[in-house]
Amino acid sequence: MMAFPEPLLRLIQNLARLPGLGEKSATRLALYLLRRPEEEVCELAESLREMRKRVRLCERCFNFSAERLCEICRDPERDPQIICIVEDPAALSSIETSGVFRGLYHVLHGLLSPRDGIGPRELRLHDLFERLKREDIKEVLLALSPTVAGEATASYLAEVLRDFPVRITRLACGVPMGMDIRYADKLTLKRALEGRRPL
Amino acid sequence: MMAFPEPLLRLIQNLARLPGLGEKSATRLALYLLRRPEEEVCELAESLREMRKRVRLCERCFNFSAERLCEICRDPERDPQIICIVEDPAALSSIETSGVFRGLYHVLHGLLSPRDGIGPRELRLHDLFERLKREDIKEVLLALSPTVAGEATASYLAEVLRDFPVRITRLACGVPMGMDIRYADKLTLKRALEGRRPL
């Protein structure tokens, strides 16, 4: 244990718990923060607390949101007749930044992966079916990564969505196979969105 | 810019400013924290704020401290007649954890490095001379790293401390415990030989 005053040790312990930080990097980071202006450190502390207290899931699409409904669901300019199914909010964010898609979203918060014990019940699928019953949705666009789990989830969805009177589409294969959609560049995503084709 | 709610973007921006974290790792860390219990994130925030508000420099030895004087300076069991000069609080912490030294410290907060514009005025030297005048100090132990900057600082201190009626000592330099002597560098071996002691 280091011979530092208690408030410094407490911070180092808390930082060392974060993923990718060991005790050495936590110590380095804490000593760096000790040299920074007090306002800067308090701003970091405040943004941590605010983020955790205010960010929750949108009640409609399960995107991250600071309100009951997320900014996208509240936007009257968006087309509510087409919803884009994504794995998680980071994937949603990637698609948003392409600036092409003007519909709404539905965030699954995972992909089917029987090996990891993630079946249909672990995803926001029941909520998707409820939306399809309640809302006037004409098209469901599957924007899942073309990985094993993404493909499996897309096939499953194509199957179960057949019972609903909606057009089912998926992103065109502009996204290279095996690439995580969260790291795809804007242009690739734009091409994939424009070239979406019926399943 | 990512399509995340404002409190999440604000945290990501603040995290991305930390050394060693880019926007990608900051995003990963923020999303990790979003999944953690609120108490855990608030504890991290609180420890950041507390550390920055409460930890300052000891008015006597310039070690980190949560009080006007650090724990070591306040400890009546410590010998105030011998002070150990260290580069920074992390070096002090290393020496403390050895559990051998029972005197007090003086933290320079740097080493002389003319190339980086760090001269005697940039270190806590004036305060050291004041202590030597005011306190009853019999021995000054130079515990600086045997690096170029450490050696230069030690030589400079040995020179200027000659005017004070104190014994000046330095850490023994030699082969570190557990090191295979075949891999020790020449300079280390030279010092170890020069400093040989009877068994």
Side-chain angles (χ1 to χ4, degrees):
Chain A
M1 205 43 173
M2 282 155 298
F4 286 142
E6 188 277 331
L8 187 52
L9 289 177
R10 176 179 162 207
L11 176 63
I12 292 171
Q13 274 169 5
N14 284 330
L15 289 174
R17 282 199 198 99
L18 300 177
L21 286 179
E23 197 182 283
K24 282 242 165 80
S25 354
T27 305
R28 209 174 305 126
L29 199 49
L31 296 180
Y32 166 84
L33 290 165
L34 197 46
R35 290 194 310 270
R36 303 303 300 169
E38 188 170 320
E39 312 83 69
E40 189 178 315
V41 178
C42 287
E43 159 60 20
L44 173 59
E46 183 57 21
S47 65
L48 269 166
R49 191 194 308 268
E50 275 284 292
M51 185 279 292
R52 192 60 192 74
K53 280 193 188 290
R54 290 186 50 206
V55 177
R56 45 186 163 160
L57 299 184
C58 168
E59 291 182 9
R60 187 189 202 178
C61 77
F62 304 99
N63 181 20
F64 291 141
S65 176
E67 314 284 335
R68 209 172 61 79
L69 290 179
C70 75
E71 273 186 56
I72 297 166
C73 283
R74 277 181 289 142
D75 184 349
E77 300 290 302
R78 310 285 299 218
D79 179 0
Q81 298 199 322
I82 167 167
I83 62 173
C84 176
I85 312 286
V86 288
E87 174 183 352
D88 62 18
L92 182 156
S93 174
S94 289
I95 292 182
E96 269 308 282
T97 48
S98 79
V100 173
F101 183 68
R102 300 300 301 161
L104 301 183
Y105 289 92
H106 190 86
V107 184
L108 296 179
H109 286 276
L111 292 174
L112 292 178
S113 176
R115 218 184 42 178
D116 304 312
I118 302 173
R121 277 162 199 279
E122 276 65 51
L123 307 182
R124 293 286 184 176
L125 285 179
H126 177 74
D127 309 278
L128 173 62
F129 303 148
E130 286 301 307
R131 284 184 74 180
L132 288 168
K133 285 178 203 154
R134 226 172 34 229
E135 299 175 25
D136 180 27
I137 294 165
K138 300 268 186 284
E139 180 178 343
V140 172
L141 164 56
L142 304 178
L144 303 171
S145 300
T147 57
V148 174
E151 297 280 293
T153 309
S155 302
Y156 175 83
L157 281 171
E159 187 64 32
V160 292
L161 293 180
R162 208 169 280 171
D163 299 339
F164 294 91
V166 288
R167 187 175 164 224
I168 303 164
T169 56
R170 60 174 301 169
L171 287 187
C173 251
V175 184
M177 286 299 287
M179 186 186 202
D180 190 317
I181 205 171
R182 288 171 295 191
Y183 303 129
D185 66 282
K186 281 187 196 180
L187 201 63
T188 304
L189 281 170
K190 189 167 174 289
R191 289 279 165 74
L193 283 159
E194 283 163 349
R196 68 184 189 274
R197 304 178 58 180
L199 265 190
Chain B
M1 205 44 174
M2 282 155 298
F4 286 143
E6 188 278 330
L8 187 52
L9 290 178
R10 177 179 159 204
L11 175 64
I12 293 172
Q13 273 167 6
N14 285 330
L15 290 174
R17 281 199 201 99
L18 299 177
L21 286 179
E23 197 182 284
K24 283 240 164 87
S25 353
T27 304
R28 208 175 305 125
L29 198 51
L31 295 180
Y32 167 84
L33 289 165
L34 196 48
R35 291 195 307 270
R36 304 303 300 169
E38 186 170 321
E39 313 83 70
E40 190 179 314
V41 178
C42 287
E43 160 60 20
L44 174 58
E46 184 57 20
S47 64
L48 268 166
R49 193 194 308 269
E50 275 285 292
M51 185 280 291
R52 193 58 191 77
K53 280 191 190 291
R54 290 186 50 207
V55 178
R56 46 186 163 162
L57 299 183
C58 169
E59 290 182 11
R60 186 189 203 178
C61 76
F62 304 97
N63 182 18
F64 291 141
S65 177
E67 314 283 335
R68 208 171 62 79
L69 290 180
C70 75
E71 273 186 57
I72 296 166
C73 284
R74 277 181 289 142
D75 184 349
E77 301 290 302
R78 309 287 297 220
D79 179 358
Q81 298 198 322
I82 168 168
I83 62 173
C84 177
I85 312 285
V86 289
E87 173 182 352
D88 61 18
L92 182 156
S93 174
S94 288
I95 293 182
E96 269 306 283
T97 47
S98 81
V100 172
F101 182 69
R102 299 300 302 160
L104 301 183
Y105 290 91
H106 189 84
V107 184
L108 297 180
H109 286 277
L111 292 174
L112 292 179
S113 178
R115 220 183 41 177
D116 304 314
I118 302 174
R121 277 163 199 277
E122 276 65 51
L123 307 182
R124 293 287 185 176
L125 286 180
H126 177 73
D127 309 279
L128 174 61
F129 304 148
E130 287 299 307
R131 286 184 71 180
L132 288 169
K133 287 176 202 158
R134 226 173 33 230
E135 300 175 24
D136 180 27
I137 294 165
K138 299 268 187 285
E139 180 177 343
V140 172
L141 164 55
L142 303 178
L144 303 171
S145 301
T147 57
V148 175
E151 296 280 290
T153 309
S155 303
Y156 175 85
L157 281 171
E159 187 64 33
V160 294
L161 293 180
R162 208 169 280 170
D163 300 337
F164 295 91
V166 288
R167 188 176 164 225
I168 303 164
T169 55
R170 59 174 301 167
L171 288 187
C173 192
V175 184
M177 288 299 289
M179 188 190 199
D180 188 321
I181 209 170
R182 287 170 298 186
Y183 302 130
D185 63 280
K186 282 185 196 176
L187 207 61
T188 301
L189 281 173
K190 187 168 174 284
R191 286 283 172 76
L193 285 162
E194 284 163 358
R196 67 187 184 275
R197 301 179 57 178
L199 265 184

Coordinates of all heavy atoms in Angstrom, one line a residue, chain A residues 85 108 110-113 123 125 142 144 148-158:
Chain A
I85 N -33.5 -1.6 -36.6 CA -33.2 -2.4 -35.5 C -31.7 -2.5 -35.3 O -31.0 -2.8 -36.3 CB -33.7 -3.9 -35.7 CG1 -35.1 -3.9 -36.1 CG2 -33.4 -4.7 -34.4 CD1 -36.1 -3.7 -35.1
L108 N -31.9 -3.4 -29.5 CA -32.1 -4.8 -28.9 C -31.3 -4.9 -27.6 O -31.7 -5.7 -26.8 CB -31.6 -5.8 -29.9 CG -32.4 -5.9 -31.2 CD1 -31.7 -7.0 -32.1 CD2 -33.8 -6.3 -31.0
G110 N -28.2 -6.2 -27.4 CA -27.5 -7.5 -27.5 C -27.8 -8.2 -28.8 O -28.6 -7.7 -29.6
L111 N -27.2 -9.3 -29.0 CA -27.5 -10.1 -30.2 C -27.7 -11.6 -29.7 O -27.2 -11.9 -28.6 CB -26.3 -10.1 -31.1 CG -26.0 -8.8 -31.9 CD1 -24.7 -9.0 -32.7 CD2 -27.1 -8.4 -32.8
L112 N -28.5 -12.4 -30.4 CA -28.7 -13.7 -30.0 C -27.3 -14.5 -29.9 O -26.5 -14.3 -30.8 CB -29.6 -14.5 -31.0 CG -31.0 -14.0 -31.0 CD1 -31.8 -14.8 -32.1 CD2 -31.7 -14.2 -29.7
S113 N -27.1 -15.2 -28.8 CA -25.8 -15.9 -28.7 C -26.1 -17.0 -27.7 O -25.8 -16.9 -26.5 CB -24.7 -15.0 -28.3 OG -23.5 -15.7 -28.1
L123 N -33.2 -10.1 -25.1 CA -33.2 -8.9 -25.9 C -34.5 -8.2 -25.8 O -35.5 -8.7 -25.3 CB -32.9 -9.3 -27.4 CG -31.7 -10.2 -27.6 CD1 -31.5 -10.4 -29.1 CD2 -30.4 -9.5 -27.1
L125 N -37.0 -7.8 -27.5 CA -37.8 -8.3 -28.6 C -39.3 -8.2 -28.3 O -40.1 -7.8 -29.2 CB -37.5 -9.8 -28.9 CG -36.2 -10.0 -29.6 CD1 -35.9 -11.4 -29.9 CD2 -36.2 -9.2 -30.9
L142 N -33.3 -4.1 -40.7 CA -32.4 -4.8 -39.8 C -31.0 -4.3 -40.0 O -30.4 -4.5 -41.1 CB -32.4 -6.3 -40.0 CG -33.8 -7.0 -39.9 CD1 -33.7 -8.5 -40.2 CD2 -34.4 -6.7 -38.5
L144 N -28.0 -4.9 -38.4 CA -27.1 -5.7 -37.4 C -25.8 -5.9 -38.1 O -25.7 -6.1 -39.3 CB -27.9 -7.0 -37.0 CG -29.2 -6.7 -36.4 CD1 -30.0 -8.1 -36.2 CD2 -29.1 -6.0 -35.1
V148 N -21.3 -13.4 -37.0 CA -22.1 -14.7 -36.8 C -23.3 -14.4 -35.9 O -24.5 -14.7 -36.3 CB -21.2 -15.7 -36.1 CG1 -22.0 -17.0 -35.7 CG2 -20.1 -16.1 -37.0
A149 N -23.1 -13.7 -34.8 CA -24.3 -13.4 -33.9 C -25.3 -12.4 -34.6 O -26.5 -12.6 -34.5 CB -23.8 -12.8 -32.6
G150 N -24.7 -11.5 -35.4 CA -25.6 -10.5 -36.1 C -26.5 -11.2 -37.1 O -27.7 -11.0 -37.2
E151 N -25.8 -12.1 -37.9 CA -26.6 -12.8 -38.9 C -27.6 -13.7 -38.3 O -28.7 -13.8 -38.8 CB -25.6 -13.7 -39.7 CG -24.6 -12.9 -40.5 CD -25.1 -12.3 -41.8 OE1 -25.4 -13.1 -42.7 OE2 -25.2 -11.1 -41.9
A152 N -27.3 -14.4 -37.2 CA -28.2 -15.3 -36.5 C -29.4 -14.5 -36.0 O -30.6 -14.9 -36.2 CB -27.5 -16.0 -35.4
T153 N -29.1 -13.3 -35.5 CA -30.2 -12.5 -34.9 C -31.1 -12.0 -36.1 O -32.3 -12.0 -36.0 CB -29.6 -11.3 -34.1 OG1 -28.7 -11.8 -33.2 CG2 -30.7 -10.6 -33.4
A154 N -30.5 -11.6 -37.2 CA -31.2 -11.1 -38.4 C -32.1 -12.2 -38.9 O -33.3 -12.0 -39.2 CB -30.3 -10.6 -39.4
S155 N -31.6 -13.5 -39.0 CA -32.4 -14.6 -39.5 C -33.6 -14.9 -38.6 O -34.7 -15.1 -39.1 CB -31.6 -15.9 -39.6 OG -30.5 -15.7 -40.4
Y156 N -33.3 -14.9 -37.3 CA -34.4 -15.1 -36.3 C -35.5 -14.0 -36.5 O -36.7 -14.3 -36.5 CB -33.8 -15.1 -34.9 CG -34.8 -15.2 -33.8 CD1 -35.3 -16.5 -33.4 CD2 -35.3 -14.1 -33.2 CE1 -36.3 -16.6 -32.5 CE2 -36.3 -14.2 -32.2 CZ -36.8 -15.4 -31.9 OH -37.7 -15.5 -30.9
L157 N -35.0 -12.8 -36.6 CA -36.0 -11.7 -36.7 C -36.8 -11.8 -38.0 O -38.0 -11.6 -38.0 CB -35.3 -10.3 -36.6 CG -34.9 -9.9 -35.2 CD1 -34.0 -8.7 -35.3 CD2 -36.2 -9.5 -34.4
A158 N -36.1 -12.1 -39.1 CA -36.8 -12.2 -40.4 C -37.9 -13.3 -40.3 O -39.0 -13.1 -40.8 CB -35.8 -12.6 -41.5

